[in-house]
């Protein structure tokens, strides 16, 4: 006889034991997982060097850095190339154009902010067109010839336009260095198309957003317009004098530098006055009351043969007041002041101590830095918004490409800036167009 025993009362006990074992194993598993994902927090101790140009390798010391695949380094929010990583050290290369700012390290998704890195700009001066001999030859690069180029501007595509000065022509340089004649031929005053049009010592050029080019035609005492199709017309002036008016009823004395605002209004330096020309050719005098030096209102202020003019986004005008050796400012409310300069000379420093020598050209970048063609010092100068004047290129009268301390200019007359921040220089007595790249 087979006997079977059923102990029903043991079932709950067995189930409880099994559950305790499962919970115990699970708890151990969770503890193990927690131990596995605990990652030491990285720290920063020091960085060296904390200043330099692009491509400087900076050593970042600290603790608990992760591996090269997960570490990121930023200079002023621009990501750098990380060259090597150990637990206690990172080596990273300063990216081009980073600018001055904090060094930031990301390790294991934790951001660590370190010291400020002072970015030192590298300056390179090159020649994009023209040679040692004056001329009017079209061509490519240094095979082309210019004759005392007076003014320069650049469009959004990188094409450069040059007021040819003694060549009585308006020239164009494409972004790949091909030089052509846009308009003009022999000395004269004819309107017309392309080479049928004539100019007489054109000394200023400015572009509007439609691609129309405006020319301060100095010896013709007029402001001319060149359409994108090459049609040349006279917008205003044509007679020696100082009368305001509309179109050819207006008079000019000696228009040179010219600039344009976002509304299409033109501003030109004319003798010792600043004139405004609307798109319909209405000419008014907005500042200047004769040769001399005086700050104040636009009605009483005086300038002395200014040559260059620029405008910022707030419609402040900046004047290269040539024979006063100063940089002047005109606000929209009509206040004229001296921004920098005093006596004739050469000195960098604050705007109150800096000096210039017949500054002729001026332009402004998107950060409101001003750049000056300091003609008789044969240098390109910079004025920052916080009032520091420095020399970015040029050493002495002559010709040489190279870095800031190697390059030479000969009476640079004007300059323009492109969307990338590169400067283009009408290097008058060298009969060349130069380019300055800073990164």
């Amino acid at each position: 006889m087979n006997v079977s025993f059923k102990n029903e009362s043991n079932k709950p006990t067995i189930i409880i034991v099994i559950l305790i074992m499962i919970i115990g194993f699970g708890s151990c598993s969770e503890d193990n997982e927690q131990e596995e994902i605990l990652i030491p927090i990285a720290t920063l101790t020091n960085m060296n060097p904390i200043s330099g140009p692009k491509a400087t390798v900076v050593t970042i010391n600290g603790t608990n850095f992760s591996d090269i695949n997960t570490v990121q380094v930023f200079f002023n929010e621009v990501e750098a190339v990380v060259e090597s990583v150990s637990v206690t050290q990172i080596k990273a290369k300063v990216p081009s154009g980073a600018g001055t700012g904090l060094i930031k390290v990301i390790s294991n998704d934790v951001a660590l902010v370190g010291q400020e890195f002072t970015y030192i700009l590298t300056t390179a001066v090159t020649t994009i067109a023209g040679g040692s001999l004056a001329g009017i030859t079209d061509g490519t690069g240094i095979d082309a010839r210019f004759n005392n180029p007076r003014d320069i501007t650049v469009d959004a595509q990188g094409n450069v336009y040059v007021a040819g000065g003694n060549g009585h022509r308006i020239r164009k340089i494409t972004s790949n260095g091909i030089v052509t004649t846009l308009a003009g031929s022999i000395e004269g005053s004819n309107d017309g198309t392309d080479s049928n049009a004539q100019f007489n010592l054109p000394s200023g050029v400015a572009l509007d957003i439609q691609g129309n080019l405006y020319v301060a035609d100095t010896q013709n005492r007029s402001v001319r317009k060149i359409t994108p199709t090459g049609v040349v017309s006279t917008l205003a002036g044509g007679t020696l004098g100082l009368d305001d008016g509309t179109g050819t009823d207006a008079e000019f004395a000696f228009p040179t530098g010219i600039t344009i605002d976002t509304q299409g209004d033109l501003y030109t330096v004319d003798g010792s006055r600043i004139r405004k020309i609307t798109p319909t050719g209405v000419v008014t005098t907005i500042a200047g009351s004769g040769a001399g030096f005086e700050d104040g209102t636009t009605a009483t202020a005086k300038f002395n043969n200014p040559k260059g003019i620029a405008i910022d986004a707030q419609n402040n005008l900046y004047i290269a007041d040539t024979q006063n050796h100063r940089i002047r400012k005109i606000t929209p409310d009509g206040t004229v002041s001296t921004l920098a300069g005093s006596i004739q000379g050469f000195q960098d420093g604050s705007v109150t101590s800096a000096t210039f020598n017949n500054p002729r050209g001026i332009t402004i970048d998107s950060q409101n830095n001003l750049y000056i063609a300091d003609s008789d010092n044969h240098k390109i100068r910079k004025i920052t918004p916080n009032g520091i004047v420095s020399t970015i290129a040029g050493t002495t009268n002559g010709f040489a490409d190279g870095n800031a301390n190697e390059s030479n200019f000969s009476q640079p007359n004007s300059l323009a800036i492109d969307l990338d921040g590169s400067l283009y220089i009408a290097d008058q007595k060298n009969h060349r167009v130069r380019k300055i790249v800073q990164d």
Side-chain angles (χ1 to χ4, degrees), residues 95-434:
S96 175
T100 296
L102 295 172
I103 300 173
K104 183 172 71 175
V105 175
I106 296 178
S107 179
N108 292 320
D109 297 323
V110 176
L112 307 169
V113 178
Q115 295 167 271
E116 182 177 81
F117 183 86
T118 301
Y119 187 86
I120 299 173
L121 287 170
T122 300
T123 301
V125 180
T126 58
T127 298
I128 66 168
S132 58
L133 299 177
I136 54 173
T137 306
D138 290 337
T140 301
I142 60 173
D143 292 330
R145 293 289 179 266
F146 294 88
N147 189 350
N148 288 280
R150 294 296 183 94
D151 196 18
I152 195 165
T153 192
V154 59
D155 66 19
Q157 289 72 47
N159 298 301
V160 175
Y161 301 86
V162 182
N166 293 351
H168 310 297
R169 290 162 168 80
I170 307 302
R171 315 285 291 280
K172 177 181 178 180
I173 310 171
T174 65
S175 57
N176 56 359
I178 298 173
V179 180
T180 57
T181 298
L182 188 66
S185 54
I186 60 173
E187 176 185 325
S189 61
N190 288 345
D191 289 334
T193 303
D194 303 326
S195 60
N196 293 320
Q198 297 172 339
F199 300 89
N200 191 353
L201 199 70
S203 300
V205 283
L207 274 167
D208 69 15
I209 58 174
Q210 286 81 34
N212 297 297
L213 193 66
Y214 297 89
V215 181
D217 193 3
T218 305
Q219 294 289 11
N220 278 326
R221 277 79 183 187
S222 61
V223 173
R224 316 284 291 279
K225 177 180 178 179
I226 307 173
T227 68
T229 58
V231 177
V232 180
S233 59
T234 299
L235 178 65
T239 305
L240 175 63
L242 297 171
D243 287 349
D244 291 336
T246 301
T248 55
D249 290 335
E251 298 173 341
F252 292 92
F254 200 73
T256 51
I258 191 168
T259 193
I260 190 167
D261 67 18
T262 55
Q263 304 303 311
D265 293 318
L266 296 160
Y267 302 84
T268 185
V269 286
D270 181 31
S272 293
R273 290 168 169 80
I274 311 302
R275 316 287 293 277
K276 177 181 177 179
I277 308 102
T278 70
T280 57
V282 178
V283 179
T284 53
T285 299
I286 65 167
S289 58
F293 170 72
E294 187 174 336
D295 287 332
T297 67
T298 52
T300 60
K302 292 182 180 180
F303 303 86
N304 194 357
N305 198 21
K307 297 295 185 185
I309 187 168
I311 192 167
D312 68 15
Q314 290 73 45
N315 285 337
N316 296 296
L317 289 168
Y318 299 89
I319 315 297
D321 192 2
T322 305
Q323 292 185 357
N324 277 326
H325 314 292
R326 290 168 167 89
I327 306 303
R328 314 284 293 280
K329 179 179 180 178
I330 306 174
T331 62
D333 67 1
T335 302
V336 180
S337 60
T338 297
L339 185 65
S342 54
I343 61 173
Q344 182 178 12
F346 169 69
Q347 184 173 319
D348 287 333
S350 69
V351 290
T352 57
S353 61
T355 54
F356 301 86
N357 189 356
N358 286 301
R360 287 188 172 94
I362 188 167
T363 193
I364 189 167
D365 69 15
S366 58
Q367 284 77 48
N368 287 330
N369 295 295
L370 289 167
Y371 298 88
I372 315 297
D374 192 6
S375 188
D376 286 355
N377 277 325
H378 314 289
K379 293 172 172 61
I380 307 302
R381 315 284 291 280
K382 178 181 180 179
I383 307 175
T384 64
N386 59 352
I388 301 301
V389 180
S390 60
T391 299
I392 66 168
T395 53
T396 188
N397 185 14
F399 169 74
D401 288 334
N403 64 35
N405 298 320
E406 297 169 340
S407 58
N408 292 328
F409 299 88
S410 185
Q411 291 189 350
N413 201 73
S414 69
L415 67 178
I417 193 164
D418 68 13
L419 296 177
D420 295 325
S422 297
L423 290 166
Y424 297 84
I425 317 297
D427 191 6
Q428 183 177 208
K429 295 304 179 182
N430 277 323
H431 311 295
R432 292 171 167 94
V433 175
R434 317 284 291 281

